[in-house]
Amino acid sequence: MPVLRSRVIPPTKPEIEPLKHPANKIEPATPARTWDTTRPASSGDDDGGDAGRKRKLDVSENLLGLEGGDREGFLNLRSGKKVIKRIGETDGGNSVDGKEKEKGKEKMDFEEVRMLREVSKDGVDVDKLDIKQNADGSCNEKRRRRFGREEKGKAKLIDEHSTVNGSEFINLDLELGTKHSEENVGSVSEPRKEQRVDKKSSVRLSESRMEQFRDIARQNASKFAYFNVEENHLSDDNERLVVADGEVEREIEDWPGPFSTAMKIVRDREKKLNGGQRIGSLDPKKKSNSSILWIPRKGQRQGPKLIIPSLKELSMKILVQNADAITSLEHVPDALRHKLSFMLCDSRQMNSHFLNLLFSGSPTEIRLRDCSWLTEQEFTKAFVSCDTKNLTVLQLDRCGRCMPDYILLSTLASSLNSLPSLTTLSICGACRISDVGFKALVTSAPALRSINLSQCSLLSSTSVDILADKLGSFIQELYINDCQSLNAMLILPALRKLKHLEVLSVAGIETVTDEFVRGFVYACGHNMKELILTDCVKLTDFSLKVIAETCPRLCTLDLSNLYKLTDFGIGYLANGCQAIQTLKLCRNAFSDEAIAAFLETAGEPLKELSLNNVRKVADNTALSLAKRSNKLVNLDLSWCRNLSDEALGLIVDSCLSLRMLKLFGCSQITNAFLDGHSNPDVQIIGLKMSPVLEHIKLQLCPSSPRVNLEKSLFSMGACRREL
Amino acid sequence: MKKEDTVKLISAEGFEFVISKEAAMVSQTIRNMLTSPGGFAETEHGEVTFPEISTTILEKICQYFYWSLQYSRGKETDFHIEPELTLELMMAANYLHT
């Protein structure tokens, strides 16, 4: 903001001498400034005499005392600082305010900032102009005050400071005008009135200005008082889109389609059940709080199913411990190689010996979940001895350390077609690869179908363009989680060219907006099977609407942490995507009825459902789950504290395919559920007495043939977040 | 043991291991072989040949079957495996689904 400086210099002489003497500090020729909170009340006082001033200034004596003598010294010290601060603040005045705002501080802090600015301004004025007495005094006091604040570690000052004198106020020009808080302006004007008895003209002038400022401040104060995350995230694009579809935002129950019917059913059911059992009955079987009727199984269950360690696991464990003694992995099938590799990486026992074993010969699949231990030389050496003509799967996750561009060019991308059969490539965490390296990689692997570029922070939209040009018609899976240099709208044209794309993960890219989703799914939605939109917090129900309209084959959808989604979004999804098998919801604001209605409508094919931290989930959802979810295998109900023992018992006893149930943070569950449910196959994880890390091992069973290992990692990461 | 209760597992070298059916059923593969309808020779004669599994490994596998039955009955002990055998044992166990 430009600094407009129109100054009116009141015709008084600057008086610095008195301030040099510590003794005088309490008796300045300056108008009194009050430092106590009762200031507004005493606004009527007239600071006629020194005594009065003294009195008032006693409160701030300690402040002044701190500064002590050497007023001049202060002046000099301050001047330099102040100028800098002033520039910083005027230019970055907004940013400072913004910062303050973002911390969600009260108006008071904001005032502090403004005061700093005023003080600095005053300081500059002092330096420049050899100011008149009260200005001087005011400056000094301000400075004192500022010093005090700094010295005290910027503790909040409760007092309504009134350090601005009239003349200075005139100079607090337009840029400040909008930023005055009402309070401050009000309080400033009052003491000013008393102080500037002798500066009548300037006072009056500044008073009118003050009024002006005050009005502006009144209008703007509330905006600055409280920082609303959601409001500030709303971009113009989003607003436009939402408004354009405003007519769709009718009541959910007025919609055509199965979702609204389901909602009605759910609500009627709730009414019926709740009407019947209002008061707790004496019969222990009937549950009073919830409307769910669940009878826990009496008598002892057989006990936890004994898991006999399989021979494969036993021998693998021993192999892992003695990995260095392995001389060859010839004839070992790929699945076993991967398992061994993962176990070694997990226990940090992976080394270049095993790496060479994996690379030796003509391997078909190489998977290394963690290459952070690998150095550039080791990798080069191992790769050189590898015959890559049969390599179809290569996973080198977390290879940032060993994979800068030059290594990439000398190994993986050493020649055109050096990886002729490669269909699946994962270089998560290759944070040193740039667009140049990526281009070389793409040209050397012409058969790529699946590529995972998560956390490759240097890749820009150029890379995505190259990908679309060279491999656009083949690519089926693309993971670009957390690629910080990618801007969603810039890569959109390239993504639209990927006609056969089935899996897209843009988790963590904050520039993903409704506009992006719309643009993408209109081009590629008909083939989409998986969409991972975790942490793309700008998305709203509009995205779900377009997804539902254009992605009928969607099997997996991840909407974690999208707090702007509402029941309308779930409604769209229920009506449009009837084939969803994996649905991950986390920290969404959906209501119990909406989830229940979704399950009624589209919940049949669900195999994996996460309702982690979807706090409103309660009995309705439980009933719908029990009724509909026959195929459900994994269920995550962590932090859903509205679910009672009965609700969970009903779910577990009815969902016969259920094998894993996560209940982290569900402190309301008691042994009535744990001992009373009659499903022998389900593993319940997350309650007090169950081993915490076992579930991670459970999730790593690579049972499904699809490239699911990244997903296991992903969900494992999600588990860690829960923990 | 009666003949009907036993199964014969034949290794690559021709060694024959006679074990109880219950023990053999620990392996999912063998269970499928022996119980699948379709008139396979294995079902009729109660013999299964494993041309890729060597004798030492097959012997260890049979020991594992009996250990597994013991474990499920409550007697939980350690099953010791010589490190030299582990690689082949792992592959055989993978094949046998055990």
Side-chain angles (χ1 to χ4, degrees), chain A residues 298-450:
Chain A
K298 287 204 191 115
Q300 269 299 0
R301 191 185 16 214
Q302 198 171 356
K305 207 172 184 192
L306 198 61
I307 301 176
I308 307 170
S310 78
L311 188 57
K312 190 165 86 171
E313 277 169 29
L314 288 172
S315 38
M316 257 197 224
K317 257 188 232 160
I318 299 181
L319 264 180
V320 163
Q321 286 164 10
N322 300 316
D324 286 338
I326 304 177
T327 50
S328 166
L329 286 177
E330 223 176 301
H331 303 306
V332 178
D334 287 328
L336 295 177
R337 286 188 191 210
H338 301 328
K339 193 88 201 292
L340 280 175
S341 152
F342 286 171
M343 286 170 78
L344 281 171
C345 287
D346 282 352
S347 54
R348 298 300 287 185
Q349 287 173 319
M350 190 68 174
N351 54 19
S352 49
H353 167 75
F354 198 84
L355 186 76
N356 282 315
L357 290 177
L358 284 177
F359 275 81
S360 62
S362 186
T364 46
E365 295 187 10
I366 298 176
R367 285 190 181 272
L368 286 162
R369 188 193 291 165
D370 181 3
C371 299
S372 53
W373 54 274
L374 191 53
T375 65
E376 293 174 13
Q377 294 99 312
E378 284 171 346
F379 177 66
T380 320
K381 211 172 102 188
F383 198 84
V384 158
S385 62
C386 179
D387 178 11
T388 55
K389 69 172 193 294
N390 289 326
L391 198 60
T392 53
V393 172
L394 181 57
Q395 175 182 352
L396 295 169
D397 285 349
R398 297 192 217 158
C399 57
R401 178 182 176 192
C402 63
M403 192 85 77
D405 275 352
Y406 52 87
I407 296 285
L408 187 68
L409 290 168
S410 65
T411 57
L412 293 182
S414 53
S415 63
L416 216 60
N417 245 6
S418 60
L419 299 164
S421 324
L422 199 65
T423 57
T424 305
L425 175 66
S426 169
I427 40 168
C428 270
C431 49
R432 293 167 76 189
I433 293 186
S434 71
D435 295 336
V436 170
F438 183 72
K439 180 171 183 186
L441 186 60
V442 162
T443 45
S444 63
L448 270 182
R449 298 266 177 283
S450 162

Side-chain angles (χ1 to χ4, degrees), chain A residues 120-238:
Chain A
S120 60
K121 275 197 180 159
D122 292 333
V124 172
D125 295 336
V126 169
D127 295 334
K128 279 189 187 178
L129 293 168
D130 244 6
I131 293 177
K132 60 282 179 203
Q133 168 192 344
N134 55 352
D136 189 19
S138 68
C139 288
N140 288 331
E141 291 200 36
K142 271 184 245 169
R143 253 181 260 143
R144 270 181 243 132
R145 180 164 185 267
R146 181 166 156 240
F147 187 81
R149 208 183 305 142
E150 284 174 8
E151 196 170 70
K152 291 180 180 180
K154 292 212 177 146
K156 259 192 214 182
L157 284 171
I158 308 167
D159 53 332
E160 304 282 312
H161 50 266
S162 49
T163 52
V164 182
N165 64 24
S167 59
E168 300 315 310
F169 235 79
I170 293 170
N171 306 321
L172 293 173
D173 32 50
L174 300 172
E175 63 179 344
L176 272 188
T178 55
K179 297 195 167 55
H180 290 345
S181 65
E182 167 191 9
E183 245 178 314
N184 188 25
V185 168
S187 65
V188 168
S189 60
E190 283 168 346
R192 214 180 9 85
K193 278 178 198 150
E194 341 165 339
Q195 295 157 9
R196 305 283 168 256
V197 179
D198 43 351
K199 311 266 180 317
K200 290 198 174 55
S201 57
S202 57
V203 164
R204 279 196 209 105
L205 189 53
S206 52
E207 271 180 26
S208 61
R209 265 298 187 113
M210 288 308 302
E211 291 294 331
Q212 197 184 353
F213 288 152
R214 202 187 315 172
D215 289 332
I216 297 172
R218 273 203 199 101
Q219 291 161 21
N220 292 314
S222 57
K223 215 192 326 172
F224 295 128
Y226 180 72
F227 179 72
N228 192 335
V229 173
E230 284 90 346
E231 274 172 23
N232 280 310
H233 275 169
L234 203 57
S235 69
D236 285 346
D237 276 359
N238 276 353

Side-chain angles (χ1 to χ4, degrees), chain A residues 471-633:
Chain A
L471 302 171
S473 36
F474 304 120
I475 282 280
Q476 289 175 352
E477 298 180 9
L478 178 60
Y479 298 84
I480 40 175
N481 306 349
D482 299 315
C483 288
Q484 302 299 338
S485 305
L486 288 185
N487 180 301
M489 295 315 289
L490 289 178
I491 64 173
L492 183 59
L495 288 181
R496 290 165 67 97
K497 291 190 207 160
L498 305 176
K499 291 298 176 196
H500 289 105
L501 199 65
E502 292 178 1
V503 173
L504 178 67
S505 172
V506 285
I509 299 187
E510 290 180 353
T511 46
V512 166
T513 57
D514 290 341
E515 193 69 58
F516 171 84
V517 172
R518 176 169 71 176
F520 176 70
V521 297
Y522 276 176
C524 309
H526 50 277
N527 272 334
M528 286 309 288
K529 296 219 176 83
E530 288 191 25
L531 262 184
I532 315 273
L533 301 169
T534 315
D535 290 329
C536 300
V537 290
K538 292 187 180 165
L539 296 183
T540 69
D541 295 334
F542 182 77
S543 291
L544 286 184
K545 177 166 181 283
V546 291
I547 290 174
E549 283 167 8
T550 54
C551 304
R553 293 193 204 155
L554 202 63
C555 294
T556 300
L557 186 59
D558 189 330
L559 302 172
S560 302
N561 295 326
L562 303 184
Y563 55 82
K564 287 188 183 177
L565 302 181
T566 70
D567 290 351
F568 288 107
I570 278 279
Y572 294 131
L573 212 56
N575 285 337
C577 295
Q578 305 264 341
I580 294 187
Q581 293 181 2
T582 301
L583 182 62
K584 298 232 168 90
L585 305 176
C586 177
R587 295 199 189 88
N588 301 111
F590 303 128
S591 71
D592 188 32
E593 289 88 13
I595 304 265
F598 174 84
L599 289 168
E600 298 275 348
T601 328
E604 287 265 9
L606 268 180
K607 290 205 186 124
E608 195 176 322
L609 177 63
S610 166
L611 296 171
N612 186 336
N613 245 309
V614 182
R615 300 252 177 171
K616 298 180 190 165
V617 163
D619 291 345
N620 282 318
T621 309
L623 285 167
S624 296
L625 272 174
K627 226 168 89 184
R628 285 275 181 248
S629 304
N630 299 322
K631 298 188 191 160
L632 200 61
V633 175

